[in-house]
Amino acid sequence: MLILFNKPFNVVCQFSPHEKHPTLKDFIPIPNVYAAGRLDTDSEGLLILTDDGALQHRLSHPKHKEIKTYWAQVEGAPIETDLLPLKKGVDLGDFVTQPAQVSIIAEPHGIWLREPPIRERKLIPTTWLEIKVSEGKNRQVRRMTAKIGFPTLRLIRCAIGGYTIDSIESGQFKVLA
C-alpha cells in the first residue's frame, strides 16, 4: 500500500499520541502503515506512508538519492547571485550540503492558507524559492536558507521523486496502491 499525505503545519509525523500536537493518527485511519521519512512539525506537504518495508527504505534512505522538492517562503528578496552558495553546497558546521537545484518562483498556484499564518513584517518582503535536494538531514533546507541570510518562514515539500501533492488538499491523503 502506498499513501500520499499532504501534512498540515503543526502535525507530528508519528502515530502515537503527542501531548501538544495532532499526529498522523488524527488524519490517516489506516493501520500498519509507516512514514517513509519524516517532515518537521513546522513543515508542510508531502509525506509518503507505506506498509512495504523495502519501498519505505528506498524512499527514505539517503543512499538512494531520491530528489525532494520544496517550496520555501523566505524572508527578504534574494537575487540569483544570493543563491549560488546553495547551488555549490553550503557548510552548515556539522556537514556540507550537496549542491541543490534552486530557483526563485512565483507563489505556488493553489497554495492553501496556513494556520496560524507566518509572521510577516511590513517593510521586509518575502520570496518563494523552489529547492531540490537529494539529502534530507534534520532541518536542512531551513538551515541552508538561513546560512545565506534568508530565513525560511514557510516550508512545503511538494514532491519526492515522481510523487507529488498535486490535487491533495492539506490534511488529506490519497491511496495509490
Side-chain angles (χ1 to χ4, degrees):
M1 177 177 297
L2 184 70
I3 299 169
L4 305 182
F5 176 52
N6 188 345
K7 186 189 94 57
F9 176 79
N10 247 357
V11 171
V12 180
C13 285
Q14 64 188 40
F15 281 94
S16 56
H18 189 275
E19 63 185 47
K20 292 182 182 177
H21 302 289
T23 67
L24 299 176
K25 187 173 183 119
D26 296 306
F27 296 88
I28 302 170
I30 300 170
N32 302 318
V33 293
Y34 304 93
R38 296 186 62 79
L39 198 53
D40 295 330
T41 303
D42 57 354
S43 296
E44 306 164 71
L46 182 61
L47 185 67
I48 298 176
L49 299 103
T50 182
D51 60 355
D52 179 336
L55 177 61
Q56 180 185 24
H57 177 76
R58 185 179 63 77
L59 291 171
S60 60
H61 198 280
K63 79 175 185 182
H64 297 288
K65 304 278 188 209
E66 206 56 62
I67 299 291
K68 296 163 192 74
T69 305
Y70 296 86
W71 295 324
Q73 185 178 17
V74 298
E75 185 173 81
I79 58 174
E80 286 300 323
T81 54
D82 294 322
L83 305 178
L84 289 177
L86 302 180
K87 294 177 181 183
K88 292 179 179 177
V90 180
D91 186 347
L92 297 178
D94 52 342
F95 72 100
V96 177
T97 66
Q98 294 293 314
Q101 297 174 41
V102 185
S103 55
I104 298 168
I105 61 170
E107 180 175 318
H109 176 72
I111 199 163
W112 54 92
L113 295 176
R114 193 187 93 171
E115 215 29 72
I118 64 163
R119 65 163 170 77
E120 288 194 60
R121 297 195 241 179
K122 263 186 184 172
L123 301 177
I124 300 177
T126 66
T127 303
W128 284 94
L129 303 176
E130 182 177 80
I131 302 174
K132 295 182 180 188
V133 297
S134 59
E135 303 166 293
K137 298 192 177 168
N138 189 36
R139 304 187 71 76
Q140 179 177 335
V141 172
R142 290 177 186 279
R143 292 175 64 198
M144 289 167 65
T145 64
K147 179 76 175 190
I148 65 165
F150 299 95
T152 295
L153 302 172
R154 186 174 184 190
L155 186 62
I156 300 169
R157 183 164 58 199
C158 58
I160 300 172
Y163 300 109
T164 73
I165 56 171
D166 291 348
S167 75
I168 305 171
E169 297 291 322
S170 180
Q172 302 297 308
F173 65 90
K174 180 192 306 186
V175 178
L176 294 184

